[in-house]
Amino acid sequence: MMTSADIRTAFLDFFRSKGHEIVPSAPIVVKNDPTLMFTNAGMNQFKDYFLGNKPAPYKRVADTQKCLRVSGKHNDLEEVGVDTYHHTMFEMLGNWSFGDYFKDEAIEWSWELLTEVYKIDKSRLYASVFEGDEKEKLPASKIALDKWKALLPDPFNQIVFGNKKDNFWEMGDTGPCGPCSEIHIDRGPAHCSRQGEEGHVCEICGDCGRYIELWNLVFIQYNREADRSLTPLKDRFVDTGAGFERLVQVLQGKDSNYETDLFLPIIERVAELSGVPYTPETGTSHRVIADHVRCLCFALADGGFPSNEGRGYVLRRILRRAARHGRLLGFAEAFMFHLVDTVISIMGHHFPELAGKEAYIRMVIKAEEERFTAALDKGLEHLDQICAKLEGDLISGKDAFMLYDTYGFPLDLTLILASEKNLRVDTDGFEEEMEAQRARARKSSKFAFEASSEDWIELEASSPTVFLGYEKNNATAQIQRYRISEDGMLHLQLDRSPFYAESGGQLADTGRIFNSGFEMQVSQVRKNDDHFIHSGTLISGAVNIDPVTAEIDLPRRQDIMRNHTATHLLHKALRTVLGEHVQQKGSLVGPDYLRFDFTHMQALTPVEINSIESIVNAAIRDNLPVSVELKNIAEARSEGAIALFGEKYSDQVRVVSVSDYSKELCGGTHVSASGEIGLFKIVSESSSAAGIRRIEALTGRAAEQFVLELQRKLAQLADKLHVPEKMLDSKIEALQNRVQELEQLLKQLDAQKADAEAAELIRGIKDLGDFKLLSLKIDADAAKLRELGDSLKDRAPDAISLLFATAREKVTILCVVGEKLRPKFHAGNIVKAVSAKLEGKGGGRPDSAMGGGNRPDLLDEVIKDLPQIIGSLSQ
């Protein structure tokens, strides 16, 4: 029997021998096509060639393409695992001709591969041919028909004709299209899923499982125009697709895709971890988990990341569906990360993008599953309370939002659990509540005065403030209106301003606004709709109608610009060192430091931090030019400009480029060349939220001061330790060694003390005939129990010792089985049984084990019953 790896290799080798260039699979996570979240068909990466947008680099191509179908019209998620053939992630084998060969070769080669390479019985294969369409004035596919007549042993019975719906492929409402010819296989009467139904007849393209499609050969020869007419294409194309999982099922003689070597090792690992055997009849959860973990491995390797929006939300749904099925198999904790190595052992030899990312994939899946488990446990009780009060079958949007807002219960989880209870959720009501919350957040964060318009003193007609700060540091302006708030702060609205208003993570400028009659120190600038409100302290005089000079604190602005451009360099360096999964999730750019939040699942290592710093400082030393262009949003994205995911942008956007190093959409202020940043220094790296890391860094003057302060502290430390600075390392190492020696001495003393206590304890050993037993309640913590246990192993080789310590309404249990009794008694089994009596859990090795109990009030009774409990566990 051919393995799946053999089948894939044979396909690619065959078409390589026919002059095809073997190209790698495109990423499953689509990065440059706004029409797609994920690659969902083999032709996606070749779409521009069919549309004529780009010339094809090769005339003949073959590949196996990773596909994911869980959204849009291809939404198979709820079917996955329920039947034997639906999948989230699957492979599509294909061979392609871009203006080269056509029907004859495509049909002939498919037949040769299936019958001569894969050795499929020719009598089991059937072909469908386009029958034509009078309304469209489309002729029948005579070339395909003649070719199949020459190849099939019994063409009269092995050729079927299909109409436009079944055998004419179209990319969309307009664009390339053409007839297709499908290859089907007869799996035999036993595979009919409607056996015994009166009137049922098995047939090609029927509604039972006997005949299945193996391959679709699409012959693209027309273009569908906007008026629905068809015009012949100048170049004709071949676009084929063979579902790999289905082909493997056929060649391995299995009844289900899940019984092939693509899935069965994962399913067996699930069964091993859960202790629940797999059967095709009861294994829905096994199949769901096996499919979904494959999908997650590939999506994460290709740069996807679970989140609450877009494709990240799809991945989170897939993970949570698998985790829910894990609960049905008895998993109470995260388990899917244990399956990653099995997936990669099956697929990694052909898909190199998996290699080296095992630890990262495991980490993301584990963290996401743990987060889901916490949300599930926390919200189930509250959901049950809501359901108990329902009068109908609809959970209100308000209640669903309460679960989300108060208890962190995501809507998709509420939908899943509601469906299990045959309940519905008012999702429209939920969205209304969500939008109301967004409005409240906008209102609380937006700079707006609650006072009425009468609180403002109008000096001239109000109009949107013209921002001049990209080009100017000072400007002449007119005060449109002003107000003095209760705290004595002065607030001015200007018609023009060089002051940057706080937005996009960048702090506002500070400075002065003045004329001959007054002066104001500006400490904050915020936007109120399109108006810039300048707030601060009146230094002298009184506001008047004369023009004013608005002047920013230029050194402070320059510090901010250094930090802002540095965030762009940092973003690029993070993606270079950590991977393309890194996305900006927030920032703060001020004069003193910068803060940058990004997606990553684990703390950065010192090596990673050093690499990131080195990359940024190298870009600074290269003094790269920083340029700003206004572009159409689509053009900017096509050029690779990074946008904040979920951020809304207008049609015209500001693109900030640091030479060829970095390109981002940004409305902030920046230096003109990277060399102006001076020095970049990371001062902290921490967790900001689940799956979000935070870096704080310094540039320019602040970085210089940081280095000087470090030098000062080193000098102080060297002085305290009475050594030169260059000998600090050796001095600290010597002190550490001395501390370790003293700690070891303390451990020895503690062990001697524990040994003496154990010698005292063994006086309480009772001989019960079949075994000796020591059972005591003592005042000790877990560490002390272990020390006593180690001593009892040696001092009581013919006894079972059980020690109990109570604290904070909990019982800690230690069991030690002496060497002579281990053939008959297992410490782990004893602790497990005793813990259960105290409504707890426990287990461990044959010689020593620990557990816990939640009912200290039952302890005396359990100690009294120990002889019977232990006696029943004799091996």
Side-chain angles (χ1 to χ4, degrees):
M1 183 179 71
M2 296 180 74
T3 66
S4 57
D6 294 336
I7 295 168
R8 187 191 293 110
T9 300
F11 178 91
L12 298 175
D13 286 348
F14 176 82
F15 281 102
R16 185 182 285 110
S17 73
K18 303 298 184 185
H20 290 65
E21 180 72 20
I22 308 303
V23 298
S25 170
I28 207 169
V29 177
V30 179
K31 293 182 171 61
N32 298 313
D33 188 342
T35 67
L36 287 174
M37 273 192 181
F38 302 100
T39 298
N40 63 8
M43 60 80 62
N44 287 163
Q45 69 167 309
F46 306 120
K47 188 165 68 172
D48 282 338
Y49 308 153
F50 294 134
L51 294 172
N53 297 334
K54 294 180 182 178
Y58 309 104
K59 288 291 186 182
R60 301 179 179 187
V61 164
D63 72 342
T64 176
Q65 175 63 53
K66 302 170 294 185
C67 301
L68 197 160
R69 289 184 183 175
V70 290
S71 56
K73 68 177 182 178
H74 297 299
N75 190 349
D76 298 338
L77 184 58
E78 297 308 317
E79 300 298 324
V80 173
V82 176
D83 56 30
T84 62
Y85 58 90
H86 273 104
H87 302 293
T88 49
M89 177 265 170
F90 59 94
E91 289 181 63
M92 187 63 74
L93 304 175
N95 60 288
W96 315 79
S97 169
F98 306 114
D100 189 14
Y101 63 84
F102 204 46
K103 297 181 182 180
D104 281 315
E105 296 89 341
I107 292 173
E108 183 178 328
W109 290 337
S110 64
W111 182 256
E112 181 182 346
L113 177 64
L114 291 176
T115 61
E116 297 184 22
V117 177
Y118 291 143
K119 306 296 183 184
I120 297 177
D121 183 352
K122 298 177 182 180
S123 66
R124 297 174 60 201
L125 296 175
Y126 294 78
S128 66
V129 176
F130 179 53
E131 67 183 8
D133 188 282
E134 287 187 16
K135 185 178 178 181
E136 295 268 14
K137 297 181 181 179
L138 288 168
S141 292
K142 186 177 184 305
I143 295 175
L145 178 60
D146 291 343
K147 195 68 181 178
W148 284 120
K149 283 181 178 180
L151 293 172
L152 290 163
D154 184 8
F156 182 78
N157 291 311
Q158 288 178 270
I159 296 176
V160 296
F161 294 91
N163 58 24
K164 183 170 170 287
K165 177 186 175 186
D166 293 329
N167 279 77
F168 193 88
W169 177 88
E170 300 197 49
M171 181 181 289
D173 292 335
T174 61
C177 55
C180 61
S181 186
E182 299 167 341
I183 304 171
H184 299 256
I185 187 169
D186 180 3
R187 299 197 295 168
H191 286 84
C192 175
S193 53
R194 299 181 61 188
Q195 293 184 58
E197 289 188 22
E198 185 177 351
H200 171 70
V201 177
C202 300
E203 57 186 353
I204 306 296
C205 298
D207 53 0
C208 75
R210 176 174 175 177
Y211 296 95
I212 62 172
E213 178 191 329
L214 279 186
W215 209 335
N216 189 13
L217 313 174
V218 179
F219 309 117
I220 303 173
Q221 59 191 97
Y222 302 104
N223 189 66
R224 176 72 71 182
E225 306 294 345
D227 63 1
R228 302 299 295 158
S229 64
L230 292 170
T231 57
L233 292 171
K234 176 184 175 183
D235 292 321
R236 299 180 302 179
F237 306 95
V238 171
D239 167 0
T240 78
F244 181 57
E245 289 76 10
R246 183 173 292 185
L247 181 62
V248 172
Q249 179 200 146
V250 168
L251 294 179
Q252 293 186 353
K254 303 298 184 181
D255 295 333
S256 160
N257 292 357
Y258 290 97
E259 293 173 21
T260 68
D261 64 355
L262 288 169
F263 292 93
L264 198 55
I266 310 171
I267 288 173
E268 290 173 342
R269 181 70 172 134
V270 173
E272 177 189 349
L273 292 171
S274 66
V276 179
Y278 172 76
T279 68
E281 295 75 24
T282 63
T284 296
S285 293
H286 295 76
R287 292 192 291 269
V288 168
I289 293 164
D291 173 274
H292 288 9
V293 77
R294 278 195 355 146
C295 172
L296 291 166
C297 286
F298 277 97
L300 294 174
D302 282 345
F305 194 84
S307 69
N308 285 330
E309 297 180 285
R311 64 169 61 95
Y313 181 67
V314 174
L315 297 181
R316 182 162 281 172
R317 281 188 64 207
I318 290 171
L319 188 144
R320 287 174 173 171
R321 184 169 185 259
R324 280 289 294 151
H325 277 274
R327 282 279 177 121
L328 298 179
L329 294 179
F331 289 108
E333 298 178 348
F335 70 96
M336 275 188 287
F337 69 98
H338 290 303
L339 306 174
V340 171
D341 288 346
T342 305
V343 174
I344 295 177
S345 70
I346 298 169
M347 310 295 286
H349 66 281
H350 182 75
F351 295 100
E353 58 269 31
L354 294 171
K357 295 185 179 178
E358 299 92 337
Y360 170 72
I361 294 170
R362 282 195 298 268
M363 177 183 60
V364 173
I365 290 176
K366 184 174 185 288
E368 274 294 310
E369 195 176 356
E370 287 173 341
R371 188 177 303 121
F372 170 80
T373 299
L376 187 65
D377 291 337
K378 194 173 182 180
L380 278 173
E381 180 182 346
H382 303 286
L383 179 61
D384 288 340
Q385 292 172 3
I386 290 169
C387 294
K389 297 177 182 178
L390 288 181
E391 295 183 359
D393 66 347
L394 182 67
I395 296 174
S396 70
K398 186 174 183 179
D399 281 337
F401 182 76
M402 183 272 291
L403 287 168
Y404 167 82
D405 192 43
T406 306
Y407 303 109
F409 225 39
L411 177 62
D412 64 311
L413 179 55
T414 303
L415 289 167
I416 291 170
L417 296 174
S419 67
E420 292 177 357
K421 299 174 182 288
N422 295 317
L423 299 174
R424 299 177 296 122
V425 179
D426 179 9
T427 55
D428 291 339
F430 176 89
E431 289 302 329
E432 290 174 6
E433 295 288 336
M434 179 67 80
E435 183 54 39
Q437 186 199 54
R438 294 189 187 108
R440 290 192 296 271
R442 285 193 295 269
K443 184 176 179 181
S444 64
S445 63
K446 184 177 178 181
F447 184 74
F449 293 102
E450 296 179 0
S452 66
S453 59
E454 285 78 14
D455 293 315
W456 286 92
I457 298 173
E458 307 285 343
L459 297 183
E460 67 171 36
S462 181
S463 62
T465 304
V466 178
F467 177 57
L468 306 171
Y470 292 135
E471 298 84 20
K472 295 184 177 182
N473 302 318
N474 59 74
T476 301
Q478 194 69 46
I479 301 173
Q480 295 180 329
R481 61 178 183 165
Y482 73 94
R483 176 180 181 272
I484 298 176
S485 56
E486 292 181 0
D487 58 5
M489 294 283 284
L490 175 62
H491 310 279
L492 302 182
Q493 178 179 309
L494 304 182
D495 66 339
R496 302 150 43 90
S497 176
F499 284 82
Y500 185 87
E502 182 175 333
S503 62
Q506 179 174 326
L507 296 185
D509 285 322
T510 60
R512 295 192 306 153
I513 297 176
F514 61 93
N515 62 18
S516 58
F518 90 104
E519 179 178 355
M520 168 193 183
Q521 187 70 38
V522 178
S523 58
Q524 181 58 277
V525 184
R526 292 192 178 99
K527 289 182 183 178
N528 187 10
D529 294 325
D530 293 327
H531 309 294
F532 283 30
I533 309 299
H534 306 70
S535 304
T537 305
L538 182 65
I539 302 299
S540 62
V543 176
N544 54 66
I545 62 172
D546 294 337
V548 297
T549 297
E551 179 181 85
I552 67 171
D553 181 340
L554 183 57
R556 181 179 181 277
R557 158 75 79 80
Q558 289 170 334
D559 287 337
I560 291 174
M561 293 193 299
R562 292 186 185 98
N563 282 330
H564 203 155
T565 306
T567 64
H568 288 216
L569 302 182
L570 172 61
H571 193 182
K572 174 64 175 180
L574 286 166
R575 291 168 71 90
T576 300
V577 174
L578 304 179
E580 293 297 311
H581 65 276
V582 169
Q583 294 179 4
Q584 180 178 344
K585 288 298 180 182
S587 67
L588 185 145
V589 180
D592 303 319
Y593 78 108
L594 67 90
R595 186 178 74 211
F596 192 83
D597 294 347
F598 58 96
T599 53
H600 193 59
M601 297 303 297
Q602 63 184 12
L604 273 61
T605 66
V607 171
E608 289 170 335
I609 292 173
N610 289 339
S611 297
I612 291 163
E613 274 191 350
S614 296
I615 291 171
V616 173
N617 281 311
I620 292 171
R621 288 193 301 273
D622 290 341
N623 198 27
L624 303 173
V626 178
S627 60
V628 178
E629 297 176 275
L630 285 177
K631 292 194 173 185
N632 176 274
I633 180 68
E635 180 186 3
R637 288 183 185 276
S638 70
E639 293 177 354
I642 294 178
L644 292 185
F645 191 76
E647 188 80 6
K648 292 183 179 179
Y649 295 94
S650 59
D651 290 339
Q652 288 292 312
V653 293
R654 195 165 177 267
V655 181
V656 178
S657 301
V658 183
S659 188
D660 295 330
Y661 176 90
S662 167
K663 189 187 294 283
E664 296 193 27
L665 307 187
C666 181
T669 59
H670 291 268
V671 298
S672 59
S674 63
E676 296 176 35
I677 297 171
L679 175 66
F680 173 83
K681 181 64 184 172
I682 294 174
V683 294
S684 73
E685 190 276 336
S686 61
S687 172
S688 170
I692 307 295
R693 305 301 300 177
R694 169 172 290 176
I695 278 179
E696 295 185 354
L698 308 174
T699 67
R701 295 184 296 176
E704 292 171 8
Q705 289 300 315
F706 179 80
V707 172
L708 289 173
E709 181 64 14
L710 281 180
Q711 290 178 325
R712 185 187 67 79
K713 288 181 178 179
L714 282 174
Q716 285 184 337
L717 184 59
D719 184 58
K720 288 181 179 179
L721 297 178
H722 307 294
V723 294
E725 288 182 31
K726 63 182 180 181
M727 295 182 64
L728 274 173
D729 283 352
S730 58
K731 180 65 174 180
I732 292 172
E733 184 178 355
L735 291 172
Q736 287 175 327
N737 290 337
R738 180 57 180 158
V739 169
Q740 289 177 355
E741 290 173 3
L742 294 173
E743 288 176 343
Q744 190 61 36
L745 180 59
L746 280 174
K747 286 182 180 179
Q748 292 174 0
L749 293 172
D750 288 341
Q752 291 172 4
K753 182 179 178 183
D755 197 44
E757 291 178 359
E760 182 67 25
L761 291 177
I762 60 174
R763 295 181 181 179
I765 292 176
K766 296 178 182 179
D767 192 338
L768 301 179
D770 291 339
F771 58 91
K772 294 180 180 179
L773 175 64
L774 171 64
S775 57
L776 287 173
K777 291 190 290 184
I778 64 171
D779 183 15
D781 58 17
K784 179 67 176 297
L785 282 177
R786 291 190 188 94
E787 290 176 359
L788 289 171
D790 290 340
S791 296
L792 288 170
K793 282 182 191 177
D794 298 328
R795 288 187 168 274
D798 57 349
I800 296 172
S801 303
L802 273 158
L803 303 181
F804 302 89
T806 58
R808 297 186 296 276
E809 299 302 314
K810 300 284 184 180
V811 181
T812 303
I813 309 163
L814 171 74
C815 177
V816 174
V817 176
E819 184 178 0
K820 294 181 181 180
L821 292 179
R822 286 173 205 160
K824 293 182 62 179
F825 295 97
H826 187 290
N829 293 338
I830 294 172
V831 164
K832 184 177 181 180
V834 173
S835 298
K837 296 287 185 182
L838 295 169
E839 297 184 8
K841 294 181 180 179
R845 303 191 311 269
D847 61 326
S848 178
M850 294 191 74
N854 299 311
R855 293 290 302 275
D857 55 305
L858 300 177
L859 183 55
D860 290 338
E861 183 180 346
V862 170
I863 290 176
K864 185 174 67 175
D865 294 340
L866 282 177
Q868 292 77 23
I869 296 172
I870 297 172
S872 67
L873 298 173
S874 177
Q875 299 176 1

